Structure formats: structure tokens, C-alpha cells
């Protein structure tokens, strides 16, 4: 790419054709760290001039006509390409590492997870040094994930524990500012690991029917989380704060305008009751049922999670 402008033009012309022919909303660009930066910048310039023709602020993620590009570069490169002249974000490897360590593996202290996660919500909105350059900007939208085609399947990482698996689903879908990226099979809990080979395990075909009771339960949980995230802007744009945390439980709230969502994850074998100070009233749960909160007291079931919202 660096020494062949014609090759860059051909690739970019084809990318633009695909966008316009199929009405794509975005690209997930594989392995940006292996591409020359000049190509990434020229692709971004072409998208701004040829696709985002009615966009007023190309550096903001808020307009519907913005074309979203998220890169994939593991190994500490998440921040490098996240900048106004390259891509809005990259797959968030550290989010994956945290979801795996604290939830799928059940290690560490949940209060540590809470502190790290709240910082991670907004850290890419600020430019910081990285890889000999600088990355991060106010329009950044990272791609959070807890599994993809290069990793052992999330349910396999959890040792087949669907409670841990569904907690990772909850963690993914209650993260604001950034985009939840759900790998095929991580809605139902497919298994696979490196010993099977990339295609035989991690990348095997999606299972669409004949679901087990656990698979259907996990799918239903993800569907409810998705609908809740769509209904409550606090889960997409809100500010997250920790209400209370212990070694095994983390209770947090997200606020956006008048909306409040309370969420919590409990790895413990007993119910955990925490307090979100100053909050009372009737909240809705994932099933649409009413939940009464008095003096901020909220209970998370043993080895479970909770998400409730109030508009």
C-alpha cells in the first residue's frame, strides 16, 4: 500500500462501492496493525467526503449518518488507530481480558473490576500516548467484547458454567459509551477451544435450532438485555458509578438525564444486598415487571445479575 497509490485507490473505490451498493452502516477492519497507516487515513478521508455527505460533525459519533469503522488489532494496539483521521474505535482487548478474568474465570476482586470498568468507559475519549504516537479522541466509540473468533469460546472459558456466562452477557450489555460486539454463538453459549483447531472449535458453524434448555435460557437473557439497552438511553450514553462492591459482588448505576438504570453482578453463593444511595421508586426489570426500590436497597441473586431501569 505505501508504495502503490493505485492499489490503495482500487481498494478504497471497492470499499465505497460496497457501502453504496449494500447500504452498509460500518466496517469491521481486521488487523489494522498490519496495514500501512496511509491506507487507513485515505480510507477515512474517502468515507468522510463520499459517504458522510450530510454529516455536520464528522468527529462526533452522534449523527445517524456517521459511518462507523472499528478496527481489530490485539496486543496492546487498541488506542493507536482510535483517532479522528483513522477509525472511531478498535476492539477493546482489555475489556475482553477483564470479562474473562473476573467473570468467566471468577478470579480477582469485583471491586477491582468496578474501578477498572468505570475508567474504561471513557478513557478512549481522551488522547494519550501509545505505540510511539497518540490515540483516543472525543468521538471514540470502542468495540467491547467477551469473545471472538480468535479466542476460546466464552462458555468454554467459564468451564461450562452458564451462570458465569450470563454474567458476562450482562457486563457487555450494560457498558455505556462504547458498542457491544457479540460474537456468533455467544448468545446461546457455544463451546470450542484451540485444541479443536480454529475452524473446528472457535469458529464452528452457528447453531440455529435444537437448542438445549441452557442455550435457550442464555439466548432469552441476551434478547432481554438487547431490548433493555435499546429502551434505556442510560445504557448507551449514561455515566456509570459504583453503588457498592465486595470481593464477589458489584452494584452500579447509570444515569442519563432523568433515566436511571441499576445493574449488578454477584459471583457469590448467597444473595447480595447493596445500596444505591438516594434512589427510590418503581423500576422495571428485564421482564417488564415492577421492582420497588426503597432507600436505594437492591438485592442481586446468588451467582446471578440484575438490571432494572426507571425513566
Amino acid at each position: 500500500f505505501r508504495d502503490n497509490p493505485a492499489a490503495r485507490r482500487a481498494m478504497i473505490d471497492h470499499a465505497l462501492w460496497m457501502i453504496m451498493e449494500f447500504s452498509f452502516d460500518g466496517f469491521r477492519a481486521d488487523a489494522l496493525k498490519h496495514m500501512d497507516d496511509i491506507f487507513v487515513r485515505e480510507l477515512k478521508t474517502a468515507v468522510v467526503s463520499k459517504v458522510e455527505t450530510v454529516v455536520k460533525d464528522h468527529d462526533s459519533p452522534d449523527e445517524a449518518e456517521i459511518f462507523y469503522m472499528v478496527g481489530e488489532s490485539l496486543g496492546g494496539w487498541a488506542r493507536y488507530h482510535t483517532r479522528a483521521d483513522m477509525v472511531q474505535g478498535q476492539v477493546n482487548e482489555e475489556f475482553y481480558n477483564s470479562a474473562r478474568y473476573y467473570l468467566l474465570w471468577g478470579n480477582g476482586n469485583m471491586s477491582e473490576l468496578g474501578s477498572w470498568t468505570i475508567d474504561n468507559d471513557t478513557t478512549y475519549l481522551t488522547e494519550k500516548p501509545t505505540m510511539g504516537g497518540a490515540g483516543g479522541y472525543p468521538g471514540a466509540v470502542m468495540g467491547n467484547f467477551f469473545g471472538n473468533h480468535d479466542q476460546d469460546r466464552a462458555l468454554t472459558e467459564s468451564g461450562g458454567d452458564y451462570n458465569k456466562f450470563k454474567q458476562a452477557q450482562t457486563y457487555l450489555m450494560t457498558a455505556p459509551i462504547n458498542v457491544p460486539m457479540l460474537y456468533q454463538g455467544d448468545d446461546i453459549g457455544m463451546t470450542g477451544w484451540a485444541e479443536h483447531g480454529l475452524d473446528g472449535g472457535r469458529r464452528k458453524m452457528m447453531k440455529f435450532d435444537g437448542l438445549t434448555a441452557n442455550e435457550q435460557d442464555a439466548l432469552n437473557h441476551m434478547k432481554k438485555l438487547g431490548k433493555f439497552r435499546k429502551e434505556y438511553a442510560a445504557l448507551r450514553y449514561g455515566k456509570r458509578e459504583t453503588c457498592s462492591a465486595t470481593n464477589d459482588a458489584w452494584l452500579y448505576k447509570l444515569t442519563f438525564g432523568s433515566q436511571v438504570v441499576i445493574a449488578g453482578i454477584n459471583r457469590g453463593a448467597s444473595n447480595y444486598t447493596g445500596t444505591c444511595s438516594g434512589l427510590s421508586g418503581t423500576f422495571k426489570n428485564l421482564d417488564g415487571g415492577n421492582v420497588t426500590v426503597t432507600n436505594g436497597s437492591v438485592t442481586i441473586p446468588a451467582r446471578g445479575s440484575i438490571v432494572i431501569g426507571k425513566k
Side-chain angles (χ1 to χ4, degrees), residues 166-189:
K166 288 193 293 182
Q167 288 177 347
Q169 290 181 328
T170 299
Y171 180 59
L172 178 72
M173 298 300 286
T174 58
I177 311 302
N178 303 302
V179 172
M181 300 178 69
L182 185 71
Y183 180 46
Q184 60 94 347
D186 283 344
D187 49 355
I188 64 174

Side-chain angles (χ1 to χ4, degrees), residues 200-217:
R202 299 172 176 179
R203 304 181 184 184
K204 61 187 174 185
M205 284 294 294
M206 177 67 189
K207 181 179 180 180
F208 291 103
D209 51 31
L211 302 185
T212 67
N214 281 331
E215 289 171 340
Q216 188 63 56
D217 183 52

Side-chain angles (χ1 to χ4, degrees), residues 10-188:
M11 290 290 292
I12 291 169
D13 285 347
H14 181 60
L16 295 175
W17 174 83
M18 287 194 296
I19 295 170
M20 296 173 186
E21 182 72 11
F22 301 107
S23 297
F24 288 165
D25 294 315
F27 284 142
R28 185 266 195 196
D30 196 68
L32 283 188
K33 67 182 180 182
H34 298 305
M35 296 184 192
D36 197 294
D37 290 353
I38 190 173
F39 173 78
V40 182
R41 289 193 174 99
E42 287 184 1
L43 176 60
K44 176 68 172 185
T45 298
V47 165
V48 168
S49 63
K50 302 294 186 181
V51 178
E52 297 181 348
T53 55
V54 298
V55 172
K56 295 179 181 178
D57 184 356
H58 298 278
D59 296 339
S60 168
D62 293 334
E63 297 180 59
E65 296 81 10
I66 287 285
F67 187 83
Y68 180 57
M69 291 197 291
V70 58
E72 182 270 346
S73 300
L74 303 185
W77 286 80
R79 183 177 290 276
Y80 179 81
H81 298 90
T82 303
R83 41 187 293 167
D85 64 345
M86 290 192 180
V87 294
Q88 289 99 328
Q90 288 223 68
V91 297
N92 193 344
E93 184 178 11
E94 287 305 307
F95 185 96
Y96 162 76
N97 289 338
S98 295
R100 180 176 60 169
Y101 181 78
Y102 290 98
L103 300 178
L104 297 177
W105 291 355
N107 292 335
N109 190 310
M110 288 292 283
S111 62
E112 296 172 356
L113 176 63
S115 297
W116 179 87
T117 302
I118 289 174
D119 177 71
N120 180 74
D121 287 342
T122 58
T123 185
Y124 291 95
L125 301 180
T126 302
E127 185 178 78
K128 296 179 182 179
T130 183
M131 296 289 183
Y137 76 110
V141 181
M142 301 297 287
N144 292 334
F145 71 105
F146 65 82
N148 71 14
H149 63 285
D150 287 322
Q151 317 301 330
D152 290 351
R153 291 276 187 173
L155 184 64
T156 297
E157 293 279 17
S158 76
D161 189 326
Y162 266 94
N163 289 317
K164 293 179 178 178
F165 178 77
K166 288 193 293 182
Q167 288 177 347
Q169 290 181 328
T170 299
Y171 180 59
L172 178 72
M173 298 300 286
T174 58
I177 311 302
N178 303 302
V179 172
M181 300 178 69
L182 185 71
Y183 180 46
Q184 60 94 347
D186 283 344
D187 49 355
I188 64 174

Side-chain angles (χ1 to χ4, degrees), residues 122-291:
T122 58
T123 185
Y124 291 95
L125 301 180
T126 302
E127 185 178 78
K128 296 179 182 179
T130 183
M131 296 289 183
Y137 76 110
V141 181
M142 301 297 287
N144 292 334
F145 71 105
F146 65 82
N148 71 14
H149 63 285
D150 287 322
Q151 317 301 330
D152 290 351
R153 291 276 187 173
L155 184 64
T156 297
E157 293 279 17
S158 76
D161 189 326
Y162 266 94
N163 289 317
K164 293 179 178 178
F165 178 77
K166 288 193 293 182
Q167 288 177 347
Q169 290 181 328
T170 299
Y171 180 59
L172 178 72
M173 298 300 286
T174 58
I177 311 302
N178 303 302
V179 172
M181 300 178 69
L182 185 71
Y183 180 46
Q184 60 94 347
D186 283 344
D187 49 355
I188 64 174
M190 292 176 64
T191 58
W193 51 92
E195 285 77 5
H196 284 176
L198 289 176
D199 294 323
R202 299 172 176 179
R203 304 181 184 184
K204 61 187 174 185
M205 284 294 294
M206 177 67 189
K207 181 179 180 180
F208 291 103
D209 51 31
L211 302 185
T212 67
N214 281 331
E215 289 171 340
Q216 188 63 56
D217 183 52
L219 177 60
N220 291 342
H221 185 60
M222 179 52 72
K223 285 182 175 180
K224 292 173 185 178
L225 287 167
K227 291 178 180 178
F228 214 74
R229 186 178 179 91
K230 181 178 181 180
E231 183 177 358
Y232 287 87
L235 287 173
R236 306 191 304 275
Y237 304 107
K239 177 183 178 181
R240 176 159 33 190
E241 300 173 85
T242 291
C243 296
S244 60
T246 66
N247 185 73
D248 285 325
W250 176 34
L251 182 68
Y252 50 99
K253 66 178 180 180
L254 302 104
T255 56
F256 182 73
S258 60
Q259 284 192 11
V260 180
V261 171
I262 300 174
I265 298 171
N266 178 15
R267 301 182 314 193
S270 301
N271 293 349
Y272 169 76
T273 299
T275 302
C276 283
S277 299
L279 294 181
S280 295
T282 301
F283 286 68
K284 294 288 185 180
N285 62 22
L286 293 179
D287 294 312
N290 291 334
V291 177

